[in-house]
Amino acid sequence: SKPTRCKQSQRCFCHRRDVSEALSMSSLEASLKDPSRPTFLHGLTPPLDSTTPDAARTIAAKFVARSRVLASDGFIVYDIQDEPSRSGAERPYPFRQLMDSASYAAEVRAASGKECLVYKCVNDAEFENWIRKARAVHGHRCLNVVGRPSADGPAKGPTTKEAMALVEKTSGVSFGCVCIPERHTDEYASQRGKAAPGEHLNMLRKQQAGAEWFVSQAVYDPAPTIRLLRDYGDACRAAGLTPCKVVLTFAPCGRAKTMTFLKWLGIRVPEEAERR
């Protein structure tokens, strides 16, 4: 006789498949790649490089506990550089070497149960080894490739284009890049002898090189950000591409010295925003 299919087993199989797909789509990687839904992240910097492993775990656990009052898809762990060539002005805060971003992100993930988007600056002679370790040792899947802060400083690692190619060929890793609205103003373009802003074209080139999302610099002035998003969307349509997700960064500032540091970093802060 013709064998019959167990409807109950079929329903169980379908249920398992649906659950598997749902779990996959709930991951940080899937969220960052999906421009149809927002992604919410808490950002933090690693502690000092001299921090012991036990102390780093305690610091991560405390931050995670405080962050639980707000729902999020995961965390951003930044890679902080000295950036001596960024500005002719004195750095408001002295630079101190911090823990490796991938190492600390592993502690944050262990404390929270959530994935991290790990930042990495390309200005590192061991960049390729760092990528391998971030994936093979720490298990990270989401990286943000950050270019050198200035073209005037010494180059110790690959170019941004070379770094993106290295990450692109690493199995099990997806990557995004930063976008800087302050570079998408007429003033910035004029200072560099250009007829019009071109940050949207930088984003397009990075997308074509494999970037699957962008994270903005901290936003205090909405006008350049709005212009950048519109121009990027127009450039994607002209190229026949779907725009990648752009995660906007908002950072509270409660001290005058911190505001000075934000400006030193190149963040544009209107007077009315600074007064608040």
Side-chain angles (χ1 to χ4, degrees):
S1 61
K2 184 178 181 180
T4 59
R5 179 179 296 176
C6 174
K7 294 183 179 180
Q8 181 64 34
S9 297
Q10 184 180 13
R11 284 196 297 270
C12 290
F13 172 78
C14 291
H15 175 70
R16 288 195 300 271
R17 183 181 61 190
D18 293 343
V19 169
S20 176
E21 290 175 354
L23 288 173
S24 175
M25 289 305 295
S26 68
S27 71
L28 177 58
E29 183 180 12
S31 176
L32 288 167
K33 291 181 179 181
D34 182 3
S36 68
R37 54 150 293 188
T39 298
F40 298 97
L41 303 167
H42 293 294
L44 68 160
T45 57
L48 292 174
D49 188 48
S50 58
T51 306
T52 65
D54 285 345
R57 282 189 284 273
T58 299
I59 294 169
K62 288 181 178 179
F63 183 91
V64 168
R66 290 195 300 268
S67 73
R68 286 199 173 105
V69 298
L70 297 172
S72 72
D73 295 286
F75 297 86
I76 289 178
V77 178
Y78 295 104
D79 179 26
I80 306 300
Q81 301 292 309
D82 188 7
E83 308 184 27
S85 59
R86 174 179 283 277
S87 170
E90 183 181 354
R91 184 185 177 111
Y93 294 102
F95 174 75
R96 294 187 293 178
Q97 188 64 49
L98 303 184
M99 275 185 67
D100 172 65
S101 56
S103 299
Y104 188 60
E107 300 291 356
V108 174
R109 185 184 59 212
S112 66
K114 295 181 179 180
E115 298 171 73
C116 294
L117 172 56
V118 186
Y119 270 48
K120 181 58 181 175
C121 180
V122 303
N123 203 33
D124 183 350
E126 296 296 320
F127 182 86
E128 188 169 5
N129 289 332
W130 185 94
I131 294 296
R132 294 195 191 99
K133 186 176 179 180
R135 178 66 189 127
V137 176
H138 299 300
H140 298 306
R141 299 182 61 88
C142 302
L143 306 178
N144 237 44
V145 176
V146 183
R148 291 163 53 205
S150 171
D152 298 329
K156 295 185 292 184
T159 65
T160 301
K161 182 178 180 180
E162 291 168 343
M164 290 189 294
L166 289 172
V167 182
E168 176 74 5
K169 72 177 186 180
T170 303
S171 177
V173 174
S174 297
F175 78 94
C177 292
V178 298
C179 61
I180 303 178
E182 282 80 0
R183 293 180 180 174
H184 202 67
T185 63
D186 293 328
E187 178 184 4
Y188 185 89
S190 177
Q191 290 173 353
R192 280 147 185 80
K194 297 182 179 180
E199 180 68 358
H200 63 306
L201 300 178
N202 291 333
M203 293 172 68
L204 188 63
R205 282 191 288 270
K206 290 174 181 178
Q207 180 177 347
Q208 291 170 330
E212 299 190 75
W213 61 80
F214 294 94
V215 181
S216 79
Q217 187 165 266
V219 176
Y220 291 91
D221 185 359
T225 303
I226 294 170
R227 182 178 183 181
L228 174 59
L229 294 177
R230 286 175 173 168
D231 288 350
Y232 170 59
D234 290 343
C236 285
R237 279 189 287 274
L241 298 173
T242 299
C244 292
K245 172 176 287 182
V246 179
V247 179
L248 301 180
T249 300
F250 299 97
C253 177
R255 298 176 58 194
K257 191 172 182 180
T258 304
M259 180 60 69
T260 301
F261 182 59
L262 290 172
K263 292 180 178 179
W264 182 86
L265 289 171
I267 297 173
R268 182 168 172 161
V269 184
E271 290 185 7
E272 59 271 23
E274 185 172 356
R275 286 196 298 268
R276 294 181 181 180

